[in-house]
Amino acid sequence: MTEQPSPIRVWYRPMRSRDREEHHRVATPLELLFDLCFVVAVGQAAAALHHALAEGHAAHGVTSFAMVFFAIWWGWLNFSWFASAFDTDDVPYRLATLVQIAGGLTIAAGVSSAFEGDFRLIVAGYVLMRLAMVTQWLRAARSEPECRPAALRYAAGIVVVQVLWIARLWVPGTAGAVAFVVLVVAELAVPVWAESSRGTTWHPHHIAERYGLFTLIVLGETILSATNAIKEGTIEPGHTGALISLAAAALVLVFSMWWLYFDRPGHARLVRRPTMFTSMSWGYGHYFIFAAAAAVGAGLEVAVAYDTGTLHLGGVASALPTTIPVAVFLLSVWLLHIGPTNECRPIAIGFPVTAVLVLAASFTPAPIHVAAGLTAALVVLTVVASHGSRSPV
């Protein structure tokens, strides 16, 4: 039997489409490294949001966080879907991924200045990431005739939008904010336009795994906040009991969020209804899941500051930074994984009802604890309601 060359010794391969039905299609070590580098950007965005909320600048903080997180999420999303369809793991592919990682780290370095209104560094990192994707799409267009129309549309659309992102840096005030929204719509429209010619062969199970891994990354921000609560308890003797209790509630909260997201196979909808609308709505809708999960960590940091008496906000104002993103997370998981018309009515109804109750928990004396209890109760409901009725996927 002839020995097959290892991927490292093959320096170049034609960039052919991967088989959509390929068995055992899992995340590669390079994809995991890519995710690891994006942890830095997510952490910087969550930390900047926490500082803005703690200083009472909620509207500015949330707006800046949403803008910064779009750059992080969109760069990650485009890499992941492209890799699902065309990953060759040869030397040029790895080097292009290295450039994208450099762009992601540049975005992380520019988060603080972006919250102060200076987006130059973030745009530099973002454009670097996106132009690296152009080289990948041009390789795909050259090697894969069937996907050439879509690949060329991707490349052309990305280049045009990046030029506009750079031009936006000189657009001030309200006009700049409007331009940002217009360019976000343009970015979202490029895949819709490109895939309408001939869809790329992304792998449903692989995409679901990639999204699950990024969900774990953003949930990690919440775990970090729970850890900070315990650390603060060791240096704030007068608040030790309250902070340890808060840490326990935060741990229950993040575990419940993890359970609810992964309770249903993420690829199920992509396999059952593999239309462009299904894949786009599922892929784009995860922005709210990812951003909400990362924001929960920032909210818990605010709750820690409130319990230690270092925050000049009221109880409700210090609770909302946690309860609002938890509610958004629950509603987003409900829409993308469960569905309002789910055959199991207790589960279909339980998610939106719990989201409303979590928001109402903001007005209770112990909002984080109540929110944690409500999400844990929803976990119990899903386990009991689906017992014996779930078929393996």
Side-chain angles (χ1 to χ4, degrees):
M1 180 179 295
T2 304
E3 181 183 357
Q4 296 296 320
S6 67
I8 293 179
R9 292 202 296 270
V10 177
W11 78 273
Y12 178 83
R13 290 189 179 95
M15 188 168 272
R16 304 294 187 187
S17 297
R18 300 287 292 259
D19 183 2
R20 190 181 178 91
E21 305 298 327
E22 181 181 349
H23 296 294
H24 308 296
R25 180 79 168 93
V26 296
T28 66
L30 182 59
E31 289 174 314
L32 298 178
L33 176 63
F34 187 87
D35 290 355
L36 180 63
C37 293
F38 269 68
V39 171
V40 179
V42 173
Q44 289 294 315
L49 175 61
H50 160 240
H51 289 307
L53 293 172
E55 293 171 1
H57 306 307
H60 171 74
V62 171
T63 302
S64 299
F65 176 78
M67 296 169 73
V68 167
F69 200 87
F70 174 81
I72 298 169
W73 166 75
W74 191 242
W76 176 89
L77 178 147
N78 279 267
F79 167 82
S80 298
W81 285 80
F82 180 89
S84 188
F86 294 105
D87 183 2
T88 57
D89 198 29
D90 57 8
V91 171
Y93 181 88
R94 292 186 176 189
L95 293 178
T97 302
L98 173 63
V99 174
Q100 293 178 76
I101 289 174
L105 295 177
T106 303
I107 288 176
V111 167
S112 297
S113 57
F115 270 69
E116 297 173 0
D118 182 359
F119 282 84
R120 287 177 297 178
L121 193 54
I122 279 204
V123 168
Y126 181 77
V127 171
L128 183 63
M129 273 198 308
R130 303 297 285 131
L131 293 183
M133 279 303 311
V134 171
T135 66
Q136 299 283 52
W137 282 116
L138 291 176
R139 280 193 65 193
R142 179 183 179 185
S143 301
E144 185 61 89
E146 292 186 1
C147 291
R148 184 169 298 147
L152 291 176
R153 287 187 179 188
Y154 270 112
I158 291 171
V159 169
V160 170
V161 178
Q162 300 325 296
V163 172
L164 295 176
W165 278 119
I166 295 173
R168 180 194 167 272
L169 291 174
W170 284 272
V171 180
T174 303
V178 172
F180 180 89
V181 174
V182 171
L183 289 176
V184 165
V185 173
E187 287 278 21
L188 298 177
V190 169
V192 177
W193 173 55
E195 296 283 337
S196 64
S197 60
R198 182 188 184 278
T200 53
T201 58
W202 49 270
H203 195 290
H205 291 77
H206 176 249
I207 284 294
E209 182 194 22
R210 298 292 295 119
Y211 273 67
L213 290 171
F214 202 76
T215 301
L216 292 176
I217 287 175
V218 292
L219 285 176
E221 290 301 315
T222 308
I223 295 175
L224 178 61
S225 299
T227 304
N228 285 340
I230 297 176
K231 182 180 70 174
E232 291 288 341
T234 62
I235 61 177
E236 296 282 349
H239 305 280
T240 301
L243 290 174
I244 291 177
S245 175
L246 178 62
L251 185 58
V252 171
L253 185 63
V254 69
F255 189 75
S256 299
M257 292 168 66
W258 167 84
W259 190 309
L260 294 168
Y261 180 86
F262 289 99
D263 188 57
R264 299 299 173 98
H267 64 269
R269 287 197 165 190
L270 300 178
V271 172
R272 284 199 303 265
R273 294 186 292 274
T275 64
M276 186 173 70
F277 174 79
T278 301
S279 59
M280 292 292 179
S281 60
W282 191 89
Y284 289 1
H286 268 74
Y287 170 84
F288 299 98
I289 291 179
F290 295 155
V296 168
L300 288 173
E301 293 278 14
V302 171
V304 169
Y306 176 79
D307 279 1
T308 57
T310 59
L311 186 69
H312 302 294
L313 292 175
V316 175
S318 63
L320 288 174
T322 300
T323 57
I324 289 178
V326 170
V328 171
F329 180 90
L330 293 176
L331 289 174
S332 301
V333 171
W334 174 60
L335 289 171
L336 298 179
H337 282 194
I338 308 299
T341 60
N342 190 281
E343 64 277 3
C344 185
R345 300 311 297 165
I347 295 178
I349 297 172
F351 272 78
V353 169
T354 303
V356 172
L357 293 176
V358 166
L359 287 175
S362 307
F363 302 91
T364 65
I368 310 303
H369 298 74
V370 174
L374 289 168
T375 54
L378 182 58
V379 170
V380 173
L381 174 64
T382 60
V383 171
V384 172
S386 61
H387 178 67
S389 63
R390 187 178 305 164
S391 58
V393 179

